[in-house]
Short mmCIF file of all heavy atoms in Angstrom, two decimals:
data_model
loop_
_atom_site.label_atom_id
_atom_site.label_comp_id
_atom_site.label_asym_id
_atom_site.label_seq_id
_atom_site.Cartn_x
_atom_site.Cartn_y
_atom_site.Cartn_z
N ARG A 215 112.60 94.23 97.00
CA ARG A 215 113.33 93.86 95.78
C ARG A 215 112.63 94.18 94.51
O ARG A 215 113.10 94.80 93.57
CB ARG A 215 113.71 92.37 95.84
CG ARG A 215 114.52 91.91 94.65
CD ARG A 215 114.71 90.43 94.73
NE ARG A 215 115.43 89.95 95.89
CZ ARG A 215 115.30 88.80 96.50
NH1 ARG A 215 114.41 87.94 96.00
NH2 ARG A 215 116.02 88.50 97.56
N ILE A 216 111.32 93.83 94.50
CA ILE A 216 110.44 94.08 93.34
C ILE A 216 110.29 95.59 93.13
O ILE A 216 110.28 96.05 92.01
CB ILE A 216 109.02 93.40 93.54
CG1 ILE A 216 109.19 91.92 93.42
CG2 ILE A 216 108.08 93.88 92.49
CD1 ILE A 216 107.90 91.17 93.81
N HIS A 217 110.15 96.35 94.22
CA HIS A 217 110.01 97.81 94.17
C HIS A 217 111.19 98.43 93.49
O HIS A 217 111.07 99.25 92.57
CB HIS A 217 109.76 98.39 95.54
CG HIS A 217 109.70 99.91 95.55
ND1 HIS A 217 108.61 100.53 94.92
CD2 HIS A 217 110.49 100.85 96.09
CE1 HIS A 217 108.80 101.82 95.08
NE2 HIS A 217 109.87 102.07 95.77
N GLN A 218 112.37 98.02 93.85
CA GLN A 218 113.59 98.56 93.26
C GLN A 218 113.73 98.13 91.79
O GLN A 218 114.06 98.92 90.96
CB GLN A 218 114.85 98.10 94.03
CG GLN A 218 116.12 98.66 93.41
CD GLN A 218 117.34 98.37 94.27
OE1 GLN A 218 117.28 98.43 95.48
NE2 GLN A 218 118.45 98.13 93.59
N GLU A 219 113.38 96.90 91.43
CA GLU A 219 113.47 96.46 90.11
C GLU A 219 112.51 97.20 89.19
O GLU A 219 112.81 97.53 88.04
CB GLU A 219 113.20 94.94 90.02
CG GLU A 219 114.34 94.09 90.59
CD GLU A 219 113.95 92.61 90.62
OE1 GLU A 219 112.73 92.28 90.34
OE2 GLU A 219 114.83 91.80 90.89
N SER A 220 111.33 97.56 89.77
CA SER A 220 110.38 98.34 88.98
C SER A 220 110.90 99.74 88.68
O SER A 220 110.72 100.24 87.59
CB SER A 220 109.05 98.49 89.79
OG SER A 220 108.44 97.20 89.96
N LEU A 221 111.57 100.32 89.66
CA LEU A 221 112.13 101.61 89.47
C LEU A 221 113.21 101.58 88.36
O LEU A 221 113.33 102.45 87.51
CB LEU A 221 112.78 102.17 90.81
CG LEU A 221 111.79 102.65 91.86
CD1 LEU A 221 112.54 102.95 93.11
CD2 LEU A 221 111.06 103.92 91.36
N GLU A 222 114.03 100.55 88.45
CA GLU A 222 115.09 100.35 87.40
C GLU A 222 114.49 100.24 86.02
O GLU A 222 115.06 100.83 85.06
CB GLU A 222 115.97 99.19 87.76
CG GLU A 222 116.80 99.40 89.07
CD GLU A 222 117.59 98.16 89.49
OE1 GLU A 222 117.40 97.15 88.79
OE2 GLU A 222 118.31 98.20 90.43
N GLU A 223 113.41 99.46 85.90
CA GLU A 223 112.82 99.29 84.60
C GLU A 223 112.22 100.59 84.05
O GLU A 223 112.34 100.90 82.86
CB GLU A 223 111.70 98.22 84.71
CG GLU A 223 112.20 96.81 84.91
CD GLU A 223 111.09 95.81 85.11
OE1 GLU A 223 109.91 96.25 85.01
OE2 GLU A 223 111.39 94.65 85.39
N ILE A 224 111.63 101.35 84.97
CA ILE A 224 111.04 102.66 84.56
C ILE A 224 112.13 103.57 84.03
O ILE A 224 112.02 104.23 83.00
CB ILE A 224 110.28 103.32 85.72
CG1 ILE A 224 109.00 102.48 86.04
CG2 ILE A 224 109.94 104.77 85.42
CD1 ILE A 224 108.37 102.94 87.33
N MET A 225 113.28 103.61 84.81
CA MET A 225 114.34 104.53 84.36
C MET A 225 114.98 104.05 83.11
O MET A 225 115.45 104.86 82.27
CB MET A 225 115.37 104.65 85.45
CG MET A 225 114.88 105.40 86.72
SD MET A 225 114.03 106.97 86.30
CE MET A 225 115.31 107.75 85.40
N HIS A 226 115.08 102.73 82.86
CA HIS A 226 115.65 102.19 81.64
C HIS A 226 114.80 102.61 80.47
O HIS A 226 115.29 103.04 79.40
CB HIS A 226 115.74 100.68 81.73
CG HIS A 226 116.24 100.04 80.48
ND1 HIS A 226 117.58 100.15 80.09
CD2 HIS A 226 115.63 99.36 79.50
CE1 HIS A 226 117.77 99.50 78.93
NE2 HIS A 226 116.56 99.03 78.53
N GLU A 227 113.49 102.50 80.62
CA GLU A 227 112.59 102.92 79.54
C GLU A 227 112.60 104.40 79.31
O GLU A 227 112.58 104.85 78.16
CB GLU A 227 111.13 102.50 79.92
CG GLU A 227 110.03 102.84 78.88
CD GLU A 227 110.21 102.15 77.53
OE1 GLU A 227 111.01 101.14 77.48
OE2 GLU A 227 109.60 102.59 76.55
N TYR A 228 112.68 105.12 80.37
CA TYR A 228 112.84 106.60 80.27
C TYR A 228 114.03 106.98 79.49
O TYR A 228 114.06 107.83 78.58
CB TYR A 228 112.87 107.15 81.70
CG TYR A 228 113.05 108.68 81.76
CD1 TYR A 228 111.91 109.49 81.69
CD2 TYR A 228 114.32 109.26 81.93
CE1 TYR A 228 112.07 110.90 81.81
CE2 TYR A 228 114.42 110.61 82.04
CZ TYR A 228 113.30 111.42 81.99
OH TYR A 228 113.49 112.78 82.07
N SER A 229 115.17 106.30 79.75
CA SER A 229 116.38 106.59 79.13
C SER A 229 116.34 106.21 77.64
O SER A 229 116.80 106.95 76.74
CB SER A 229 117.54 105.80 79.77
OG SER A 229 118.79 106.00 79.11
N ARG A 230 115.72 105.05 77.34
CA ARG A 230 115.63 104.59 75.95
C ARG A 230 114.82 105.48 75.11
O ARG A 230 115.16 105.78 73.96
CB ARG A 230 114.99 103.13 75.96
CG ARG A 230 114.97 102.50 74.58
CD ARG A 230 114.26 101.18 74.59
NE ARG A 230 112.84 101.39 74.82
CZ ARG A 230 111.95 101.77 73.84
NH1 ARG A 230 112.41 101.94 72.60
NH2 ARG A 230 110.69 101.96 74.10
N ARG A 231 113.69 106.02 75.65
CA ARG A 231 112.78 106.81 74.87
C ARG A 231 113.20 108.26 74.64
O ARG A 231 112.91 108.85 73.66
CB ARG A 231 111.38 106.75 75.48
CG ARG A 231 110.74 105.38 75.41
CD ARG A 231 109.41 105.40 76.16
NE ARG A 231 108.47 106.33 75.55
CZ ARG A 231 107.26 106.59 76.04
NH1 ARG A 231 106.85 105.96 77.16
NH2 ARG A 231 106.46 107.44 75.42
N TYR A 232 113.96 108.75 75.67
CA TYR A 232 114.28 110.20 75.61
C TYR A 232 115.74 110.53 75.56
O TYR A 232 116.15 111.65 75.72
CB TYR A 232 113.67 110.82 76.84
CG TYR A 232 112.15 110.71 76.90
CD1 TYR A 232 111.58 109.82 77.75
CD2 TYR A 232 111.35 111.48 76.12
CE1 TYR A 232 110.16 109.64 77.83
CE2 TYR A 232 109.97 111.38 76.14
CZ TYR A 232 109.35 110.46 76.98
OH TYR A 232 108.01 110.29 77.08
N GLN A 233 116.58 109.54 75.31
CA GLN A 233 118.01 109.82 75.34
C GLN A 233 118.42 110.77 74.24
O GLN A 233 119.46 111.41 74.33
CB GLN A 233 118.78 108.50 75.21
CG GLN A 233 118.52 107.75 73.92
CD GLN A 233 119.30 106.47 73.90
OE1 GLN A 233 120.21 106.25 74.66
NE2 GLN A 233 118.87 105.53 73.08
N LYS A 234 117.67 110.95 73.19
CA LYS A 234 118.02 111.85 72.11
C LYS A 234 117.32 113.19 72.23
O LYS A 234 117.59 114.09 71.39
CB LYS A 234 117.64 111.22 70.74
CG LYS A 234 118.39 109.90 70.44
CD LYS A 234 118.01 109.39 69.06
CE LYS A 234 118.81 108.09 68.74
NZ LYS A 234 118.42 107.57 67.39
N SER A 235 116.53 113.39 73.24
CA SER A 235 115.84 114.69 73.40
C SER A 235 116.84 115.69 73.91
O SER A 235 117.57 115.52 74.81
CB SER A 235 114.69 114.50 74.42
OG SER A 235 113.75 113.57 73.89
N PRO A 236 116.78 116.94 73.35
CA PRO A 236 117.70 118.02 73.76
C PRO A 236 117.53 118.36 75.19
O PRO A 236 116.41 118.47 75.70
CB PRO A 236 117.26 119.16 72.85
CG PRO A 236 116.56 118.53 71.72
CD PRO A 236 115.90 117.33 72.23
N GLY A 237 118.65 118.59 75.87
CA GLY A 237 118.61 119.06 77.27
C GLY A 237 118.24 118.03 78.31
O GLY A 237 118.18 118.40 79.47
N ILE A 238 117.92 116.83 77.92
CA ILE A 238 117.48 115.83 78.92
C ILE A 238 118.49 114.79 79.24
O ILE A 238 118.37 114.00 80.21
CB ILE A 238 116.20 115.15 78.45
CG1 ILE A 238 115.36 114.66 79.63
CG2 ILE A 238 116.46 114.00 77.51
CD1 ILE A 238 113.92 114.27 79.28
N GLU A 239 119.57 114.73 78.52
CA GLU A 239 120.55 113.66 78.62
C GLU A 239 121.17 113.65 80.03
O GLU A 239 121.33 112.59 80.61
CB GLU A 239 121.68 113.86 77.62
CG GLU A 239 122.74 112.76 77.67
CD GLU A 239 123.80 112.94 76.61
OE1 GLU A 239 123.65 113.86 75.75
OE2 GLU A 239 124.76 112.09 76.59
N SER A 240 121.52 114.83 80.55
CA SER A 240 122.18 114.85 81.88
C SER A 240 121.22 114.37 82.94
O SER A 240 121.63 113.72 83.88
CB SER A 240 122.66 116.29 82.17
OG SER A 240 121.54 117.20 82.22
N ARG A 241 119.94 114.68 82.80
CA ARG A 241 118.99 114.22 83.80
C ARG A 241 118.81 112.76 83.75
O ARG A 241 118.57 112.11 84.78
CB ARG A 241 117.66 114.94 83.58
CG ARG A 241 117.65 116.40 83.85
CD ARG A 241 116.29 117.01 84.05
NE ARG A 241 115.47 116.92 82.89
CZ ARG A 241 115.45 117.82 81.87
NH1 ARG A 241 116.28 118.89 81.97
NH2 ARG A 241 114.65 117.66 80.85
N ILE A 242 118.88 112.15 82.63
CA ILE A 242 118.78 110.67 82.46
C ILE A 242 119.98 110.04 83.17
O ILE A 242 119.81 109.09 83.94
CB ILE A 242 118.78 110.26 80.99
CG1 ILE A 242 117.49 110.70 80.33
CG2 ILE A 242 118.92 108.76 80.86
CD1 ILE A 242 117.44 110.61 78.84
N VAL A 243 121.19 110.52 82.92
CA VAL A 243 122.37 109.96 83.54
C VAL A 243 122.29 110.01 85.08
O VAL A 243 122.52 109.05 85.76
CB VAL A 243 123.63 110.75 83.08
CG1 VAL A 243 124.82 110.24 83.83
CG2 VAL A 243 123.82 110.50 81.58
N VAL A 244 121.85 111.22 85.60
CA VAL A 244 121.81 111.34 87.03
C VAL A 244 120.74 110.43 87.62
O VAL A 244 120.96 109.78 88.57
CB VAL A 244 121.47 112.81 87.41
CG1 VAL A 244 121.15 112.89 88.92
CG2 VAL A 244 122.63 113.72 87.04
N SER A 245 119.55 110.31 86.96
CA SER A 245 118.50 109.47 87.46
C SER A 245 118.90 108.03 87.45
O SER A 245 118.68 107.31 88.47
CB SER A 245 117.16 109.68 86.62
OG SER A 245 116.77 110.99 86.72
N ASN A 246 119.49 107.57 86.38
CA ASN A 246 119.90 106.17 86.31
C ASN A 246 120.98 105.88 87.39
O ASN A 246 120.97 104.88 88.04
CB ASN A 246 120.47 105.89 84.91
CG ASN A 246 119.38 105.50 83.94
OD1 ASN A 246 118.40 104.93 84.35
ND2 ASN A 246 119.53 105.85 82.68
#
Side-chain angles (χ1 to χ4, degrees):
R215 183 186 296 155
I216 291 173
H217 178 63
Q218 179 170 323
E219 288 175 351
S220 297
L221 286 172
E222 292 175 358
E223 289 175 3
I224 291 170
M225 291 313 304
H226 177 73
E227 178 64 15
Y228 178 84
S229 177
R230 186 186 68 80
R231 293 177 60 184
Y232 299 102
Q233 60 183 342
K234 295 182 180 181
S235 299
I238 205 167
E239 182 178 356
S240 61
R241 293 198 294 275
I242 292 172
V243 172
V244 171
S245 299
N246 276 327

